[in-house]
Amino acid sequence: MIIRPRRLRGSETLRKMVRETRMDKSSLIYPLFVKEGEGIQEEIPSMVGQNRYSIDKLPYELERLSKAGVGSVMLFGIPDVKDEVASQAYAEDGIVQKALRAAKREFPDLYYITDVCLCEYTSHGHCGMLCGHEVENDSTLELLAKTALSHVEAGADMVAPSDMMDGRVLAIRNMLDDAGHKETPIMSYAVKYASAFYGPFRDAAGSAPAFGDRKSYQMDFHNSREGIKEALLDVEEGADIIMVKPALSYLDMITKVHDVTDVPVAAYSVSGEYAMVKAAAQNGWIDEDRIICEMAASTYRAGAQIYLTYFAKELAKFMDEGRIG
Ligand code: PBG
């Protein structure tokens, strides 16, 4: 035998030398839930270890992230009041807007990205305006753009629309540009599937649709070429980063989007992925730490440059320890 693949697996030093996928803490983004009220740090039942924070408690978590070396967060807001037109999504004193001002004051060095969507703010839980039971595309665009602008004016460094309405990246880009925010990047949740993996998140944010489902706007998980279409469209509309979501069951899409676009690709390991790992680990059925590392490495290996994950702090630690990276 001349070629023996095992030669390069003989020691830890050699295995690390020939590693094809390398990861860095600077590519991690941690999703964070902020809610109205005071003195609140409440655990999300379906996401053991993840919390909802009121604004006064937020700095404690930001401090932990900062210490762990996780430099970027994605903020989600949970308002007190919901209505038909999602008023709190774009209110100047909305929960995300207030949280941004406070967080930027105390931790100006962190990078703040906001999820731009209406579902947490509408009484019906859909991501857009309703006409009867239809989610209307075009009348939603203005509200999404207003929401993005209000986030940026409150201090967001980047906005990330997750609603899956057609044309929203362009609508947001135009409104930001008109207001002088030409340099604020947009990370589009372009390749977002109608997925049962979002179950725990809807618990966390109280954003489950009151009727029907999201299949008229999020993508059918049987489709791959449609995901490419969405990604290319959003790049044309001005998206600076394209996200694939969920991550674990959609690694093929990460690779494809990476191959057909020339923008950075992000992948979001969503709440259901987190909950499955936690539940199995609590039962002693899997080795949680090793699973976290393997899920992350496979996502980067598929082509992601940016990884959104509820395990960001753990991963940062594993990277420091050289267990992964
Ligand atoms: C808002 C939004 C959702 C998630 C991110 N942004 C929920 C949904 O689309 O129903 C899911 C995140 C997760 O499950 O961790 N539209």
Side-chain angles (χ1 to χ4, degrees), residues 23-67:
M23 290 153 272
D24 194 272
K25 290 194 282 191
S26 57
S27 64
L28 296 170
I29 301 174
Y30 182 68
L32 197 44
F33 300 95
V34 54
K35 70 176 283 182
E36 295 280 3
E38 248 179 67
I40 303 168
Q41 173 181 337
E42 57 190 18
E43 188 168 56
I44 301 159
S46 51
M47 299 176 74
V48 178
Q50 302 299 312
N51 300 288
R52 305 183 192 98
Y53 296 96
S54 54
I55 292 174
D56 57 321
K57 291 279 187 180
L58 203 55
Y60 297 102
E61 181 58 26
L62 297 176
E63 167 109 53
R64 286 189 283 274
L65 287 163
S66 193
K67 280 206 173 117

Side-chain angles (χ1 to χ4, degrees), residues 140-151:
T140 302
L141 299 182
E142 165 93 12
L143 298 187
L144 288 168
K146 269 171 69 173
T147 302
L149 178 58
S150 74
H151 289 176

